[in-house]
Amino acid sequence: MSLRTRLTVLYAFVAGAILLFFGIAIYGLVKVMLVDQMDLALDQTARQIISSTSVNSVGDLEVIELPSLDVTSTIFVQVWDENMTLKVTSPNISRLKSPLDSTGLRAIQPAFRDSQVNQASLRVLSVPLEVAGKRVGVLQVSQNRYFIDLTLRSLLLVLGGAAVLFMSIAAIAGW
């Protein structure tokens, strides 16, 4: 292999490594930002629901009012009592009788998890509900991850295509 060929391959490889490094950084930053935005929306909805939740004298959960789901139609809500009985569900998932995140039903502190329900990929916030230190149920608030996953796939295709294109340009320029 000639010196010219080796230098061209090395130049293309270095350009590809730099593009790979920056591509991973951009992808990771976009992913963190999108997931953080979703987590913030779920947390705000959970706080709004918890502020309107009460417990009657027998210790049963009473959800006075769910937030207006006209605005948050992509957010799904379930309230489970300690006996794993579904007490309240948002109208947009009223037919779903299984938990949004079965592992989250055992959460001892608020926890975000990714979950699969049917064929939907969800981001779920599970918040244990307590009264006077006694656990009385779990609130699960979730949102479909479809748009985040679609955005990340598109970004990955763009970054991959750009890396191949710029490596080719670097190889041609180096030749």
Side-chain angles (χ1 to χ4, degrees):
M1 186 183 312
S2 72
L3 179 61
R4 181 180 195 181
T5 305
R6 281 189 258 163
L7 287 175
T8 301
V9 170
L10 178 65
Y11 185 61
F13 176 76
V14 168
I18 291 170
L19 288 170
L20 179 65
F21 173 76
F22 283 110
I24 289 171
I26 290 169
Y27 182 87
L29 184 63
V30 169
K31 181 176 181 179
V32 166
M33 288 174 55
L34 290 173
V35 171
D36 281 351
Q37 279 184 324
M38 182 176 278
D39 288 353
L40 182 63
L42 293 175
D43 186 54
Q44 287 174 344
T45 303
R47 288 178 191 273
Q48 185 178 358
I49 293 168
I50 289 171
S51 69
S52 66
T53 301
S54 63
V55 177
N56 64 19
S57 60
V58 180
D60 291 333
L61 283 172
E62 293 179 9
V63 177
I64 296 168
E65 181 182 327
L66 287 179
S68 172
L69 293 175
D70 298 334
V71 177
T72 60
S73 62
T74 61
I75 293 185
F76 314 120
V77 178
Q78 289 182 334
V79 178
W80 296 82
D81 68 8
E82 249 328 271
N83 300 324
M84 301 305 165
T85 305
L86 182 61
K87 300 299 276 185
V88 178
T89 186
S90 56
N92 51 0
I93 57 165
S94 59
R95 292 183 292 183
L96 181 65
K97 301 302 178 198
S98 61
L100 296 168
D101 177 22
S102 55
T103 304
L105 288 179
R106 296 182 296 277
I108 57 174
Q109 60 185 352
F112 290 98
R113 288 181 30 89
D114 292 325
S115 178
Q116 287 287 126
V117 175
N118 298 335
Q119 279 75 37
S121 177
L122 302 175
R123 181 77 173 167
V124 182
L125 169 60
S126 298
V127 181
L129 301 173
E130 296 180 352
V131 173
K134 181 181 181 257
R135 184 180 165 115
V136 293
V138 175
L139 167 67
Q140 291 192 326
V141 183
S142 72
Q143 192 169 16
N144 197 329
R145 286 183 49 105
Y146 174 77
F147 290 111
I148 287 179
D149 294 339
L150 182 66
T151 301
L152 292 175
R153 273 194 302 270
S154 299
L155 181 61
L156 193 59
L157 286 172
V158 168
L159 290 173
V164 169
L165 176 69
F166 288 124
M167 283 177 66
S168 300
I169 291 171
I172 291 169
W175 187 256

